């Protein structure tokens, strides 16, 4: 038996006719750039997130960068975030002209530790960018309270948390804006790159809509210099079909996680903890183990795919050596980076595959 880490073909087969019809309609209408499907997807995704506005862009990193720019967070500013995310979180800050400032994570849920944020605030701090890592919301109430006291913007990196809820509210709507990626392997994935910003601020939505499209409201009338960061109509058409099933797919992910939890209850690995405030959507099912290399070798021997998210924290990446951080600066992040392992997780994952994975872990335990 071969167990894939994610199986996009299985998902495609389940919605093939709808997907093909949606793409064909775009092709027949030759409605490729900022077409009707983009407009409709933005409306539908805003409603799904319970937000006022959604603006489609070409990737998650563009969503983050353009949101920073829309709020005027550029040269000389500092933005606080966590060092255990994918590098795009920090890269977006850097590309806006600001400087990422890292704060360690809390040890149970892998998200930024709200109690450590205030000590990182300086006179240059303009924003906080919490990451809802692996699909579990960060603890937003204390972050928003701190941001209010220091007059800071909060931009949620929700690129792994489509549909997740914090105390009943969809992530992306708790801060001033929320950013999502539609990379194909995400809970809501396109058939290429894509992203979106959600916000309740009409002026910010309008600014991002211009930033993605050459700084124009009216064609050939450019208010400021900007970019080509548009979500194309084919991807929007795909996303519209998938969005109708997102809650169902997230529910299946939670069922798979519950089975993993049950089967691994008495094993040597640490399974994901879920915060009381969170409705987790398990973009990734991440365990911790003291014997990661041994387990990875055993899984590979049994044709089971696994992943590392992420083995090198951002502050230790060569690309960020100029920030002056060093090993030991964020001990929780660094310790976990050496122990985490992502197990197969996708909505169509058969129970027998989960049982096979767990049997390997139990075999390692002896």
């Amino acid at each position: 038996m071969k167990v894939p880490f994610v199986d996009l073909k299985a998902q495609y087969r389940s919605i093939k006719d709808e997907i093909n019809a949606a793409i064909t309609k775009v092709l027949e209408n030759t409605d490729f750039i900022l077409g009707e499907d983009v407009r409709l997807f933005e409306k539908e995704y805003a409603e799904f997130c319970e937000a006022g506005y959604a603006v489609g862009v070409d990737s998650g990193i563009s969503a983050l960068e353009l949101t920073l720019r829309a709020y005027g967070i550029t040269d000389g500013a500092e933005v606080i975030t966590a060092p255990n995310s994918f590098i795009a979180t920090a890269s977006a800050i850097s590309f806006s002209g600001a400087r990422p400032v890292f704060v360690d994570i809390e040890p149970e849920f892998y998200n930024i530790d709200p109690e450590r944020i205030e000590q990182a605030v300086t006179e240059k701090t303009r924003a906080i960018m919490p990451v809802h890592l692996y699909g579990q919301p960060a603890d937003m109430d204390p972050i928003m309270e701190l941001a209010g006291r220091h007059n800071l913007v909060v931009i949620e990196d929700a690129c792994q948390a489509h549909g997740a809820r914090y105390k009943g509210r969809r992530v992306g709507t708790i801060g001033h804006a929320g950013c999502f990626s539609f990379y194909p392997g995400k809970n809501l994935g396109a058939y290429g790159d894509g992203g979106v910003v959600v916000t309740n601020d009409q002026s910010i939505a309008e600014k991002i809509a211009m930033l993605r499209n050459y700084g124009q409201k009216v064609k050939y009338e450019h208010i400021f210099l900007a970019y080509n960061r548009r979500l194309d109509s084919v991807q929007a058409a795909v996303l519209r079909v998938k969005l109708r099933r997102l809650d169902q797919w997230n529910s299946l992910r939670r069922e798979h996680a519950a089975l993993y939890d049950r089967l691994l209850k008495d094993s040597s690995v640490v399974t994901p903890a879920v915060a009381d405030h969170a409705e987790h959507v398990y973009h990734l099912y991440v365990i911790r183990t003291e014997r990661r290399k041994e387990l990875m070798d055993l899984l590979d021997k049994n044709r089971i795919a696994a992943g590392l998210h992420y083995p090198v924290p951002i502050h230790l990446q060569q690309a960020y050596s100029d920030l002056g951080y060093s090993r030991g600066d964020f001990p929780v992040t660094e310790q976990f980076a050496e122990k985490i392992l992502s197990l197969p997780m996708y909505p169509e994952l058969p129970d027998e595959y989960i049982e096979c994975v767990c049997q390997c872990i139990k075999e390692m335990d002896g």
Side-chain angles (χ1 to χ4, degrees):
M1 182 187 297
K2 184 176 181 180
V3 180
F5 185 69
V6 64
D7 189 350
L8 298 180
K9 292 180 181 179
Q11 186 176 91
Y12 172 63
R13 286 192 295 267
S14 72
I15 54 175
K16 180 178 179 179
D17 291 344
E18 287 182 69
I19 288 288
N20 290 353
I23 292 174
T24 298
K25 183 180 177 182
V26 175
L27 300 181
E28 289 178 344
N29 292 339
T30 64
D31 189 23
F32 301 123
I33 302 296
L34 294 182
E36 181 71 359
D37 276 293
V38 174
R39 184 187 69 79
L40 290 171
F41 173 70
E42 290 174 336
K43 177 178 181 294
E44 290 160 6
Y45 198 71
E47 291 172 352
F48 174 83
C49 290
E50 300 158 12
Y53 308 93
V55 183
V57 294
D58 61 353
S59 68
I61 191 171
S62 288
L64 293 165
E65 180 192 345
L66 298 189
T67 302
L68 287 162
R69 291 185 178 279
Y71 279 101
I73 300 168
T74 56
D75 297 348
E78 292 180 351
V79 179
I80 295 171
T81 191
N84 66 329
S85 182
F86 181 55
I87 197 169
T89 304
S91 298
I93 297 168
S94 298
F95 294 154
S96 76
R99 179 182 186 273
V101 174
F102 299 115
V103 166
D104 211 352
I105 59 173
E106 40 73 32
E108 193 170 9
F109 309 114
Y110 305 121
N111 284 318
I112 192 168
D113 188 341
E115 295 183 2
R116 297 176 183 267
I117 293 176
E118 190 149 26
Q119 64 194 40
V121 175
T122 73
E123 61 183 14
K124 296 181 179 179
T125 306
R126 292 287 310 283
I128 305 169
M129 188 177 284
V131 182
H132 304 309
L133 197 68
Y134 306 146
Q136 172 150 238
D139 192 0
M140 292 300 296
D141 279 354
I143 293 173
M144 294 305 297
E145 190 275 331
L146 183 150
R149 285 192 284 109
H150 291 277
N151 195 30
L152 303 176
V153 174
V154 176
I155 299 169
E156 298 174 65
D157 181 340
C159 289
Q160 298 184 8
H162 313 70
R165 290 185 181 273
Y166 174 82
K167 297 185 178 180
R169 296 174 61 188
R170 296 280 196 193
V171 297
T173 64
I174 302 156
H176 296 87
C179 301
F180 297 81
S181 162
F182 299 130
Y183 181 79
K186 297 298 175 71
N187 292 39
L188 181 62
Y191 289 165
D193 274 317
V196 75
V197 182
V198 298
T199 183
N200 288 314
D201 188 324
Q202 182 178 359
S203 64
I204 291 297
E206 291 174 352
K207 184 76 176 289
I208 294 168
M210 288 190 289
L211 281 165
R212 73 174 176 185
N213 191 30
Y214 300 107
Q216 58 187 353
K217 271 189 177 180
V218 178
K219 194 170 185 178
Y220 302 134
E221 295 182 15
H222 306 274
I223 310 302
F224 49 78
L225 295 178
Y227 312 91
N228 176 4
R229 306 278 186 87
R230 302 173 297 208
L231 177 67
D232 73 65
S233 299
V234 169
Q235 302 303 341
V238 169
L239 291 165
R240 291 186 66 209
V241 172
K242 289 189 168 190
L243 180 59
R244 295 193 286 269
R245 295 169 170 83
L246 181 55
D247 277 334
Q248 176 191 353
W249 287 340
N250 285 341
S251 180
L252 287 169
R253 287 174 181 268
R254 282 189 288 271
E255 290 180 17
H256 300 332
L259 180 56
Y260 270 127
D261 290 347
R262 181 169 61 81
L263 294 177
L264 295 174
K265 183 177 181 181
D266 297 320
S267 73
S268 64
V269 305
V270 179
T271 55
V274 180
D276 291 340
H277 62 246
E279 185 176 77
H280 205 316
V281 293
Y282 291 99
H283 170 57
L284 296 168
Y285 185 89
V286 181
I287 62 169
R288 293 203 315 271
T289 174
E290 302 289 339
R291 302 159 68 183
R292 185 169 73 183
K293 177 63 165 60
E294 180 182 352
L295 178 54
M296 290 179 69
D297 289 344
L298 184 60
L299 292 171
D300 184 62
K301 179 182 176 182
N302 285 274
R303 305 177 71 205
I304 298 170
L308 296 176
H309 301 87
Y310 301 93
V312 181
I314 302 174
H315 69 288
L316 298 180
Q317 296 282 352
Q318 183 177 345
Y320 274 118
S321 58
D322 62 313
L323 293 182
Y325 292 110
S326 59
R327 188 169 296 277
D329 285 342
F330 306 108
V332 181
T333 292
E334 293 167 25
Q335 176 189 5
F336 287 176
E338 297 177 355
K339 299 178 181 180
I340 53 175
L341 183 67
S342 302
L343 302 181
M345 173 59 77
Y346 51 95
E348 302 80 12
L349 182 64
D351 287 356
E352 63 186 292
Y353 285 10
I354 297 174
E355 291 164 0
C356 183
V357 173
C358 295
Q359 185 58 43
C360 276
I361 294 172
K362 292 175 182 177
E363 180 181 332
M364 180 188 71
D365 290 345

